[in-house]
Amino acid sequence: MSFGEQPAYLRVASDLRKKIVNGSLPPHTRLPSQARIREEYGVSDTVALEARKVLMAEGLVEGRSGSGTYVRERPVPRRIARSGYRPAGGAVNPFRQEQSAEGARGTWESGSEQEKATAEVAVRLGITLGDPVMRTRYVFRDAGEAMMLSTSWEPLAITGRTPVMLPEEGPLGGCGVVERMAAIDVVVDNVVEEVGARPGLAEELLTLGGVPGHVVIVVERTYYASGRPVETADVVVPADRYRVAYHLPVR
């Protein structure tokens, strides 16, 4: 087989990937052995091994101890809805509100803790390194399955010693940032979300059920009131199981 200019291991991986995608190698099928790949494609053991590594890094195959490498079941991606829309007078958790339209049975766990702002958080919130912030970590679930992680930071210069200092406690516990800030006369008028992707961290994948090398979608969100950041968060979603869908109002 002629491989042209592209590295041989990528060409082999590409051909095997096509077979997985089109069903020629269905889920739970054993991937051709290294020796079989070497013979079929006319490549070296090193090339065959590297091609298998590519497929494993992409999450298309998985190794089973003492058994070999098998094609993984490919989940049908589900949507996680994102929206700037909130119904008037609706003090409801944004996650529950936004997922209800998608038929998700959303629940979540959270924990808040005061800490000093790191360099990155300080830049995002427009505060000084080491300033006190409230960090809240969330695990969002759909029918018990972890589907999304979120870590948010709010400057205690704004929320400290107020009824909304703890996002999930008090009279407005569980409500969105907009509603909570309004309760202390801070009017949120803008939100910015930047979407990127990266390999998941070990602790993230442990919670989300991924394997090392799996890619996650990261939404970096910041709420503003008259140009001042009042909350920033990192939302992490497993890229192989979910898509982030935006519902944006037409102005």
Side-chain angles (χ1 to χ4, degrees), residues 14-249:
S14 177
D15 191 65
L16 290 171
R17 186 188 303 113
K18 288 178 183 177
K19 292 179 179 179
I20 292 171
V21 172
N22 68 23
S24 299
L25 288 172
H28 310 297
T29 299
R30 187 172 180 175
L31 193 71
S33 67
Q34 189 169 313
R36 176 77 178 274
I37 293 174
R38 183 190 65 218
E39 295 172 4
E40 182 175 345
Y41 293 93
V43 296
S44 67
D45 281 333
T46 299
V47 168
L49 178 61
E50 290 301 314
R52 289 159 63 90
K53 286 182 178 179
V54 168
L55 298 177
M56 191 166 290
E58 292 175 351
L60 295 175
V61 301
E62 61 184 356
R64 298 180 186 174
S65 181
S67 179
T69 304
Y70 291 79
V71 177
R72 295 182 69 237
E73 181 125 21
R74 300 180 70 220
V76 177
R78 289 180 285 170
R79 294 198 300 171
I80 289 181
R82 307 290 297 170
S83 173
Y85 171 74
R86 298 286 184 272
V92 61
N93 181 280
F95 171 72
R96 177 173 290 172
Q97 174 189 311
E98 291 175 350
Q99 301 315 308
S100 62
E102 307 299 326
R105 292 160 289 178
T107 60
W108 66 94
E109 307 149 17
S110 66
S112 296
E113 184 176 352
Q114 294 187 41
E115 67 177 21
K116 295 181 179 180
T118 64
E120 180 183 359
V121 169
V123 169
R124 288 165 59 171
L125 288 175
I127 59 179
T128 301
L129 174 67
D131 278 358
V133 295
M134 183 65 70
R135 182 198 67 207
T136 304
R137 289 176 171 160
Y138 296 87
V139 179
F140 295 97
R141 301 182 186 277
D142 174 16
E145 177 187 284
M147 61 185 293
M148 182 169 67
L149 307 177
S150 177
T151 303
S152 69
W153 298 268
E154 294 179 352
L156 286 173
I158 295 176
T159 61
R161 300 181 183 274
T162 74
V164 300
M165 184 173 73
L166 294 170
E168 294 297 321
E169 297 182 23
L172 290 178
C175 293
V177 174
V178 176
E179 292 83 358
R180 291 176 47 251
M181 292 295 169
I184 56 173
D185 298 322
V186 175
V187 179
V188 174
D189 53 19
N190 191 26
V191 58
V192 175
E193 292 196 347
E194 296 184 10
V195 183
R198 59 166 170 76
L201 304 178
E203 56 268 28
E204 293 170 341
L205 297 175
L206 181 63
T207 301
L208 293 170
V211 299
H214 273 194
V215 172
V216 294
I217 300 169
V218 181
V219 180
E220 183 181 301
R221 179 197 69 206
T222 304
Y223 283 97
Y224 295 87
S226 299
R228 180 185 185 183
V230 298
E231 189 257 28
T232 193
D234 286 334
V235 180
V236 178
V237 181
D240 63 332
R241 286 182 281 141
Y242 292 95
R243 297 290 181 267
V244 178
Y246 283 84
H247 301 268
L248 304 176

